[in-house]
């Protein structure tokens, strides 16, 4: 949105930053003009201002002693702009400003000069919030602060000041934004005065109700001997704002003699978590994050509450013996580490699902959550009537969700499928088991472990069975969305199902996760990151999603942002192999420096030699970049008979052997290896003739064998099957490999033309990749190639 739009705006939500110069009216006219110009220049130079203006998502309003900026791109933009202005003015003692931020409705209007403008409650409240502050203050309305609380890294910088009355008797909740270096941490003078008035009023009331104190004290003595019902906790000044109705359900302790019952115990805890997650009035932390606190002896509940951003924690235990089950649960205030509620249930084993529902409803009641009839009915619905089927389902789900995405092997996925197949055979109405079964088949298909029509048919059968059982359930819509995304690349259809699922799954992070994946495949990069961050709000210790955010920055070549996100992941799990490798690989991409990756891989191998197979892809890539044949052969041992994964592009082991032989100068060995590779790749293409990535790799292998016409034909067909317009991640990658095919078949001009096209798009290719990879040797001496490489070089 331009600075002076030509048409009036419809009513919409704007994110408003109001700025004025403190002491402006006391200045001489020439001083006012000078400071106003300084402020204008400072604001115009901020990154947030420039970005919003470039996107046509900004309206500027002069206000005499300052300005109002209305952002329409992101709720974070006015806050980031305020911090950037504050930082730019930190050394300027003459120009002191105060700022107010609000999110609210604005609409188009026309001023006295017949110019389009904006007005509305969103702007008015921002001005009134700002007017409460002193020099240096960045004050937010609660509405604006709630948008920021979706992102964990903002929480420690937001400090609740309470509710205050502003102009025309309007009451607004005020939040102060300040960091260690920016903002003003002091309570504004106007708010101090208001608090003094409130204190005086309270003193008068105390005198009037002194007789009631005795009765209250007596009542307190009675209540002291019973567990209390929680009330909203007072917010500590300077503390993160954890929602009052927020909870984490930690893993329950297995007290059974049979340690195999750990799956049953996890199943009980997971069902309670899923029941609570169905309540829209609650914020419930997802399974991935809470399962990291399995050991009760090492739990510090206050720290866990802060790490997960919740006010309450549910702990418990399960003991199963013969046909009896005992379940104990206790609700704890995370801020004070005190018990709020506790109960134990000692019943027949067949009643275990009724126990889960009772606990979930009791917790919702304790947290004073509004429970709709539909939510109550969903909580009371048991997952199955067959306990053996539930055991099989719990074991299969543990295999699927208890291991990181990158560590799941085909064998592990097939084992989970076998357990889930047994579960639905025992109970053909087991809806949740069909959901997990679909997920397992879809993952095998999507990751090319078995990308065949037969595998997709198995996924189709599972999703159809689930939808027949509960066609209107939010989980059914989410399942259909996942299947359309993974099995058919039907992103529009998947998006429609996600929106339907969102209505009844308020706390399911998979809704945001899948929306993020869909956005990214369709090139909606910023929206994708926002959805992933919303998932992190519900699943704050999900390493995989942080890696996905980092991947988005990598594809956009935003390496500083990528580094910051990977640091967030390493702060959660410092020794995570995948994150450490990604962080080191970033330096190779960014600065063409392979040394950090070399050191990281060697360090991980020293720490845990068994981790070599998980490093194989990066290890082979590094060895090729360093042109180290010895290291390449070591990496090939770790690779075993697997392919190298480059997202959807898989280079089979024989083709990797051909690359290593080619690097060594062994032409005969390279030809023999690529011949074997072609036989294997042709089998894959025969099984999936319309799958672009497989056809692309066949073209690459044909190029290596000198089959020029076949290679070019296959490369072109791959680009038709999966163009960038259909897949914003793998489409550009296929264009890049077509450029390699052209280079290897002597089509230098065409190679450079394709390469120049590819580098204008987000993608995996990078400065380091072009600078170091021998794949580009056939055109490396061409000045046009060097120009393309230089365009991706890190800027000073």
């Amino acid at each position: 949105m331009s600075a002076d739009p030509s048409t009036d705006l419809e009513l919409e939500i704007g994110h408003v930053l109001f700025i004025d110069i403190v002491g402006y009216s006391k200045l001489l006219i020439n001083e006012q003009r000078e400071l106003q110009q300084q402020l204008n220049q400072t604001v115009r130079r901020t990154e947030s201002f420039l970005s919003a203006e470039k996107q046509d998502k900004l309206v500027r309003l002069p206000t005499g002693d300052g300005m109002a900026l209305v952002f329409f791109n992101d709720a974070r933009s006015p806050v980031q702009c305020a911090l950037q202005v504050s930082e730019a003015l930190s050394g300027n003692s003459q120009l002191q400003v105060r700022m107010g931020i609000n999110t609210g409705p604005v609409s188009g209007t026309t001023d006295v000069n017949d110019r389009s403008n904006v007005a509305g409650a969103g702007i008015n409240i921002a001005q009134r919030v700002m007017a409460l502050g002193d020099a240096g203050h960045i004050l937010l309305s609660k509405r604006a602060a709630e948008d920021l609380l979706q992102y964990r890294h903002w929480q420690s910088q937001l400090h609740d000041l309470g509710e205050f009355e502003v102009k025309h008797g309007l009451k607004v909740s005020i939040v102060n934004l300040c960091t260690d270096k920016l903002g003003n941490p002091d309570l504004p003078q106007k708010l101090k005065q208001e608090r003094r008035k409130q204190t005086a009023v309270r003193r008068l009331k105390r005198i009037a109700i002194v007789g009631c104190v005795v009765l209250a004290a007596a009542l307190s003595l009675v209540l002291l001997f019973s567990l209390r019902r929680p009330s909203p906790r007072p917010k500590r000044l300077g503390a993160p704002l954890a929602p009052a109705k927020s909870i984490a359900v930690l893993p329950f302790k297995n007290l059974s003699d049979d340690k195999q019952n750990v799956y049953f115990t996890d199943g009980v805890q997971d069902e309670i978590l899923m029941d609570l997650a169905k309540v829209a009035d609650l914020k419930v932390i997802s399974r991935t994050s809470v399962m990291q606190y399995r050991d009760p002896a090492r739990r510090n509940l206050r720290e866990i509450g802060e790490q997960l951003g919740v006010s309450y924690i549910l702990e418990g235990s399960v003991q199963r013996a013969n046909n009896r089950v005992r379940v104990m649960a206790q609700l704890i205030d995370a801020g004070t580490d005190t018990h709020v509620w506790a109960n134990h249930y000692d019943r027949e084993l067949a009643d275990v699902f009724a126990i889960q529902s009772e606990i979930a409803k009791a917790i919702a009641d304790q947290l004073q959550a509004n429970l709709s009839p539909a939510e109550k009915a969903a909580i009371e619905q048991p997952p199955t009537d067959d306990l053996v089927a539930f055991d099989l389902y719990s074991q299969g789900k543990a295999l699927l969700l208890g291991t990181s995405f990158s560590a799941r092997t085909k064998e592990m996925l097939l084992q989970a499928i076998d357990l889930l197949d047994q579960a639905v055979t025992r109970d053909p109405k087991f809806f949740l088991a069909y959901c997990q079964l679909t997920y397992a088949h879809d993952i095998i298909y999507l990751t090319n472990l078995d990308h065949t029509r037969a595998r997709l048919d198995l996924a189709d059968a599972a999703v159809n069975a689930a939808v027949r059982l509960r066609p209107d359930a939010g989980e059914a819509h989410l399942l259909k969305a996942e299947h359309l995304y993974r099995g058919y690349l039907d992103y529009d259809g998947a998006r429609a199902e996600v929106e339907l699922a969102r209505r009844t799954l308020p706390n399911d992070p998979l809704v945001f996760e899948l929306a993020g994946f869909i956005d990214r495949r369709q090139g909606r990069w910023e929206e994708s990151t926002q959805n992933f961050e919303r998932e992190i709000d519900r699943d704050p210790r999900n390493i995989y999603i942080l890696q996905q955010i980092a991947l988005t920055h990598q594809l956009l070549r935003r390496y500083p942002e990528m580094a910051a996100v990977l640091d967030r992941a390493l702060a959660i799990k410092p020794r995570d192999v995948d994150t450490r490798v990604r962080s080191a690989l970033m330096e190779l991409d960014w600065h063409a420096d392979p040394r950090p990756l070399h050191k990281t891989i060697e360090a991980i191998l020293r720490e845990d030699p068994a981790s070599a197979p998980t490093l194989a892809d990066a290890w082979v890539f590094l060895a090729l970049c360093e042109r180290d044949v010895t290291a390449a052969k070591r990496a090939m041992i770790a690779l075993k008979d697997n392919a190298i994964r480059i997202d959807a592009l898989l280079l089979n082991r024989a083709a990797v052997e051909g690359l290593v032989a080619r690097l060594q100068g062994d032409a005969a060995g390279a030809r023999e290896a690529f011949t074997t590779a072609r036989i294997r790749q042709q089998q894959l293409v025969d099984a999936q003739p319309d799958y672009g990535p497989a056809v692309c790799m066949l073209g690459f292998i044909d190029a290596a064998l000198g089959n020029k016409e076949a290679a070019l034909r296959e490369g072109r067909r791959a680009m038709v099957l999966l163009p960038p317009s259909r897949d914003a991640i793998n489409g550009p990658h296929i264009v890049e490999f077509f450029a390699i095919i052209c280079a290897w078949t002597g089509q230098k001009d065409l190679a450079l033309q394709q390469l120049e096209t590819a580098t204008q798009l987000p993608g995996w290719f990078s400065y380091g990749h072009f600078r170091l990879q021998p794949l580009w040797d056939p055109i490396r001496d061409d000045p046009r190639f060097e120009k393309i490489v230089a365009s991706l070089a890190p800027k000073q």
Side-chain angles (χ1 to χ4, degrees):
M1 190 167 299
S2 60
D4 58 4
S6 58
T7 59
D8 289 346
L9 297 170
E10 299 290 337
L11 182 65
E12 55 185 317
I13 298 299
H15 310 293
V16 185
L17 168 60
F18 226 103
I19 309 175
D20 81 358
I21 300 172
V22 177
Y24 184 85
S25 60
K26 299 178 183 180
L27 299 172
L28 299 175
I29 293 177
N30 62 328
E31 292 175 333
Q32 290 178 345
R33 185 182 300 112
E34 181 182 347
L35 291 183
Q36 185 72 60
Q37 289 175 350
Q38 287 185 36
L39 179 59
N40 289 341
Q41 291 173 1
T42 300
V43 172
R44 289 189 189 118
R45 291 170 182 164
T46 63
E47 182 180 346
S48 297
F49 181 97
L50 293 171
S51 176
E53 189 174 50
K54 183 178 180 180
Q55 297 173 42
D56 202 23
K57 296 290 185 180
L58 177 67
V59 170
R60 295 172 281 173
L61 305 175
T63 61
D65 58 351
M67 69 185 70
L69 304 177
V70 187
F71 294 85
F72 292 92
N73 55 343
D74 191 318
R76 295 170 293 180
S77 293
V79 182
Q80 291 167 335
C81 185
L83 289 172
Q84 290 159 9
V85 170
S86 181
E87 183 177 14
L89 297 178
S90 60
N92 191 333
S93 59
Q94 292 183 329
L95 180 54
Q96 299 288 316
V97 300
R98 57 182 179 172
M99 293 178 267
I101 298 171
N102 178 54
T103 291
V106 298
S107 61
T109 185
T110 303
D111 63 21
V112 70
N113 296 316
D114 291 328
R115 290 179 300 187
S116 294
N117 212 323
V118 290
I123 294 176
N124 296 337
I125 292 177
Q127 184 178 24
R128 290 164 189 170
V129 169
M130 177 204 68
L132 294 173
D134 303 326
H137 274 124
I138 304 173
L139 301 181
L140 288 75
S141 68
K142 185 177 180 181
R143 172 66 183 84
E146 286 173 345
D147 286 332
L148 290 186
L149 289 173
Q150 301 285 340
Y151 307 95
R152 185 169 180 81
H153 63 280
W154 287 108
Q155 294 177 2
S156 63
Q157 300 174 12
L158 296 170
H159 312 281
D160 185 64
L161 302 182
E163 186 178 69
F164 297 89
E165 186 173 307
V166 295
K167 191 175 181 180
H168 302 312
L170 177 67
K171 291 186 177 180
V172 180
S173 293
I174 305 297
V175 177
N176 187 19
L177 171 67
C178 61
T179 69
D180 293 339
K181 298 180 180 179
L182 303 176
N184 184 345
D186 296 332
L187 187 67
Q189 290 299 320
K190 291 182 181 179
L191 302 191
K192 287 181 180 179
Q193 294 171 7
E194 181 64 23
R195 284 189 176 178
R196 283 197 288 267
K197 291 179 183 178
Q198 294 173 356
T199 301
V201 171
R202 284 196 296 268
R203 286 174 181 167
L204 291 174
K205 288 183 177 179
R206 287 195 194 101
I207 296 172
I209 62 172
V210 65
C212 297
V213 174
V214 175
L215 178 60
L219 181 60
S220 298
L221 289 173
V222 175
L223 294 178
L224 184 62
F225 295 98
S226 64
L227 289 170
R228 64 178 175 84
R229 182 187 181 94
S231 58
R233 295 183 294 156
K235 300 180 181 70
R236 295 180 290 110
L237 188 64
L241 301 175
K245 299 178 183 180
S246 55
I247 186 170
V249 183
L250 301 189
F252 281 24
K253 187 176 181 180
N254 175 35
L255 300 180
S256 308
D257 293 334
D258 185 356
K259 297 308 175 185
Q260 281 296 106
N261 279 325
V262 67
Y263 296 113
F264 178 80
T265 300
D266 286 348
V268 171
Q269 172 242 353
D270 203 33
E271 287 298 309
I272 295 171
L273 189 158
M274 288 195 299
D275 284 345
L276 288 171
K278 294 169 184 173
V279 183
D281 200 29
L282 294 177
K283 174 185 175 181
V284 183
I285 299 301
S286 182
R287 182 184 192 276
T288 307
S289 288
V290 298
M291 293 306 287
Q292 297 176 30
Y293 303 99
R294 180 177 288 281
D295 185 359
R298 301 180 63 182
R299 290 176 183 169
N300 182 317
L301 297 187
R302 289 190 180 185
E303 287 184 2
I304 292 174
E306 291 178 1
Q307 290 170 356
L308 299 180
V310 296
S311 295
Y312 297 96
I313 289 174
L314 183 69
E315 290 189 304
S317 62
V318 177
Q319 186 173 15
R320 176 179 175 179
N322 299 322
N323 290 321
R324 302 288 298 180
V325 64
R326 170 175 289 182
V327 180
M328 189 280 291
Q330 56 184 6
L331 182 66
I332 298 166
D333 184 319
T336 61
D337 202 2
T338 57
H339 286 69
V340 174
W341 171 92
N343 206 348
H344 73 274
Y345 306 81
D346 195 344
R347 299 186 189 171
E348 295 289 332
L349 184 59
D351 289 337
V352 67
F353 302 127
I355 294 172
Q356 293 168 181
S357 299
E358 289 178 30
I359 292 174
K361 288 188 290 184
I363 297 303
D365 182 59
Q366 288 293 318
L367 297 186
Q368 303 177 32
N370 296 318
L371 198 62
S372 71
E375 290 168 348
K376 183 174 181 292
I379 288 174
E380 291 175 345
Q381 184 172 18
T384 178
D385 294 326
D386 190 318
L387 288 172
V388 176
F390 184 73
D391 279 339
L392 292 165
Y393 159 78
S394 297
Q395 292 179 55
K397 186 175 181 179
L399 283 172
L400 292 177
L401 304 183
T403 309
S404 66
F405 190 90
S406 59
R408 294 174 195 159
T409 63
K410 184 176 181 179
E411 292 72 22
M412 184 184 297
L413 291 167
L414 291 175
Q415 184 182 354
I417 287 171
D418 180 58
L419 290 164
L420 294 165
D421 274 334
Q422 293 180 57
V424 296
T425 298
R426 288 190 61 91
D427 181 3
K429 296 182 179 181
F430 199 164
F431 172 78
L432 294 178
Y434 282 117
C435 290
Q436 293 300 322
L437 193 56
T438 303
Y439 173 76
H441 285 306
D442 275 343
I443 290 298
I444 288 178
Y445 184 81
L446 178 71
T447 56
N448 292 305
L449 295 174
D450 180 8
H451 193 91
T452 62
R453 182 69 235 186
R455 181 61 59 185
L456 190 58
D457 287 343
L458 290 170
D460 285 343
V463 74
N464 290 337
V467 172
R468 279 196 300 269
L469 290 170
R470 298 187 194 174
D472 299 322
E475 292 88 348
H477 289 296
L478 185 58
L479 184 67
K480 288 166 67 177
E482 290 183 289
H483 185 54
L484 289 170
Y485 170 79
R486 296 190 177 104
Y488 292 93
L489 307 186
D490 181 0
Y491 303 134
D492 290 334
R495 185 183 298 279
E497 292 293 339
V498 166
E499 290 307 312
L500 293 172
R502 195 190 302 269
R503 300 174 187 176
T504 55
L505 300 175
N507 284 291
D508 195 328
L510 290 178
V511 170
F512 298 114
E513 178 179 322
L514 191 55
F517 284 135
I518 295 168
D519 282 333
R520 192 165 65 184
R521 294 284 178 178
Q522 294 189 317
R524 296 184 174 95
W525 303 99
E526 302 304 329
E527 294 90 339
S528 173
T529 298
Q530 289 170 11
N531 273 310
F532 286 145
E533 289 285 6
R534 290 188 184 105
E535 177 176 7
I536 290 295
D537 181 57
R538 289 292 189 274
D539 203 357
R541 297 180 72 80
N542 191 325
I543 298 290
Y544 173 68
I545 295 303
L546 287 173
Q547 291 171 346
Q548 291 305 305
I549 298 173
L551 173 59
T552 298
H553 290 310
Q554 177 185 352
L555 295 171
L556 294 170
R557 304 180 193 95
R558 296 175 177 172
Y559 298 113
E561 292 88 342
M562 179 184 179
V565 176
L566 291 175
D567 285 345
R568 289 167 61 188
L570 288 171
I572 295 170
K573 195 173 181 182
R575 304 192 72 77
D576 182 71
V577 170
D578 195 22
T579 308
R580 291 166 68 186
V581 169
R582 286 171 186 255
S583 184
L585 186 57
M586 176 191 67
E587 288 298 328
L588 189 151
D589 285 332
W590 189 1
H591 295 109
D593 184 0
R595 292 172 298 179
L597 182 58
H598 189 114
K599 292 178 181 178
T600 298
I601 289 176
E602 291 298 331
I604 292 172
L605 290 173
R606 285 195 303 271
E607 296 163 8
D608 181 16
S611 64
T614 64
L615 297 171
D617 287 9
W619 198 359
V620 170
F621 179 78
L622 172 66
L624 293 175
C625 286
E626 294 186 321
R627 301 171 187 262
D628 186 338
V629 173
T630 302
K633 291 181 177 179
R634 286 179 63 201
M636 292 288 292
I637 295 173
L639 187 65
K640 299 180 180 178
D641 197 34
N642 298 313
I644 287 183
R645 177 173 301 283
I646 316 171
D647 199 52
L649 306 185
L650 291 179
L651 195 61
N652 66 50
R653 179 191 168 87
V656 179
E657 290 175 346
L659 286 175
V660 175
R662 183 184 174 109
L663 183 66
Q664 195 174 8
D666 181 3
R671 182 163 191 83
E672 181 181 357
F674 279 120
T675 299
T676 301
R678 194 191 187 288
I679 295 171
R680 296 180 183 177
Q681 194 67 25
Q682 186 65 58
Q683 292 171 346
L684 292 176
V685 172
D686 290 343
Q688 45 193 336
D690 295 327
Y691 187 51
V695 175
C696 180
M697 287 296 97
L698 181 62
F700 171 71
I701 294 169
D702 268 328
L705 289 169
N707 302 332
K708 177 179 176 180
E709 297 304 323
L712 293 171
R713 181 176 63 251
E714 289 149 358
R716 289 191 174 97
R717 174 165 169 73
M719 289 197 297
V720 171
L721 291 171
L722 196 64
S725 59
R726 188 181 181 198
D727 186 337
I729 295 180
N730 289 320
H733 209 19
I734 286 179
V735 175
E736 180 200 13
F737 261 85
F738 180 59
I740 294 173
I741 290 170
C742 295
W744 283 33
T745 55
Q747 301 294 305
K748 182 180 291 190
D749 291 342
L750 184 57
L752 290 164
Q753 176 187 340
Q754 294 298 320
L755 189 57
E756 188 168 1
T757 298
T759 53
Q760 302 305 310
L761 302 170
W764 299 89
F765 26 88
S766 66
Y767 172 68
H769 176 69
F770 289 138
R771 181 64 70 197
L772 300 176
Q773 266 293 339
L775 294 171
W776 301 105
D777 285 355
I779 57 174
R780 190 171 299 282
D781 59 350
D782 193 298
R784 292 172 294 174
F785 177 77
E786 181 58 36
K787 183 178 178 181
I788 292 173
V789 175
S791 71
L792 297 176
K795 306 299 186 292
Q796 293 298 325

